[in-house]
Amino acid sequence: MLEGDSGDAISIDNDHQWPGDVWLIPLKMLDDDSRAIQLGSVAGMAIDDSQRSFVGDPLRMVLIGLEEDSRFPYVIESGGEAVGVLTLQAGAAGLAGWADDESAWLLRGFLIDSRHQGRGLGSMAARAAVGEARKLTARLGGGQVGVVLSVNERNPAGLAAYAKAGFVDTGRYLGGSAGPQRTMYRELG
């Protein structure tokens, strides 16, 4: 179930897979002190060696998102602690192999802390990101109709998590710097 509006954290019910909810904390909507606390949590996130080829530094990704008007970075929380990050970006869907930049939000910089993986949090957060993209579209009037992402073909856990969140594989994308990607898409509706 979705709660709140674009200015609030949102929660996705976990379908009884994990005791708790996933909340997206919109960093651009926080005051300076609250944002600093969240950034401290992001700086302490763990990245497994097997993840390094698929993701960048979470703090760097979030800081870039805070500087660019088209990006909306979020901290993913569960059980009262930061468990990951993600960013929604307008006007950049082509970076994931999508046919145009404007019709879909780009979900990028998605990372679940390695200490919290394997609990279904990635799928829950991806579903929450679609709900947040729907709200951003309504608030900002961008006209996007979906969310697109690319995931490395060598990342079966990522592919499975996005599929479980309702994303559909729309084909191979060779534009990523880390090797062949799969473009995945989910409508906002």
Side-chain angles (χ1 to χ4, degrees), residues 99-119:
D100 69 275
D101 281 336
E102 302 302 326
S103 67
W105 287 93
L106 175 62
L107 176 57
R108 67 183 308 168
F110 193 123
L111 165 78
I112 298 295
D113 183 308
S114 63
R115 297 168 292 196
H116 297 281
Q117 292 179 359
R119 300 175 179 164

Side-chain angles (χ1 to χ4, degrees), residues 12-80:
I12 296 294
D13 187 314
N14 64 6
D15 297 324
H16 308 291
Q17 300 165 6
W18 170 250
D21 289 336
V22 166
W23 297 86
L24 297 186
I25 310 300
L27 291 175
K28 286 189 173 181
M29 303 297 287
L30 299 178
D31 63 40
D32 290 343
D33 291 338
S34 297
R35 187 178 305 114
I37 291 167
Q38 292 294 334
L39 291 175
S41 295
V42 171
M45 289 185 181
I47 302 172
D48 188 86
D49 287 340
S50 64
Q51 285 179 282
R52 290 196 188 280
S53 62
F54 305 131
V55 300
D57 174 62
L59 183 59
R60 182 176 179 276
M61 291 185 295
V62 167
L63 291 173
I64 290 170
L66 287 170
E67 294 299 318
E68 292 187 21
D69 291 341
S70 67
R71 295 188 193 200
F72 298 85
Y74 297 84
V75 170
I76 304 163
E77 283 194 356
S78 182

Side-chain angles (χ1 to χ4, degrees), residues 108-171:
R108 67 183 308 168
F110 193 123
L111 165 78
I112 298 295
D113 183 308
S114 63
R115 297 168 292 196
H116 297 281
Q117 292 179 359
R119 300 175 179 164
L121 298 173
S123 294
M124 288 187 283
R127 284 193 304 267
V130 173
E132 187 64 10
R134 185 181 310 110
K135 293 174 189 176
L136 285 169
T137 298
R139 186 178 65 154
L140 301 173
Q144 294 89 347
V145 295
V147 176
V148 66
L149 59 91
S150 66
V151 60
N152 195 289
E153 290 181 345
R154 295 178 295 123
N155 184 357
L159 289 164
Y162 293 125
K164 189 173 182 178
F167 284 81
V168 176
D169 186 334
T170 63

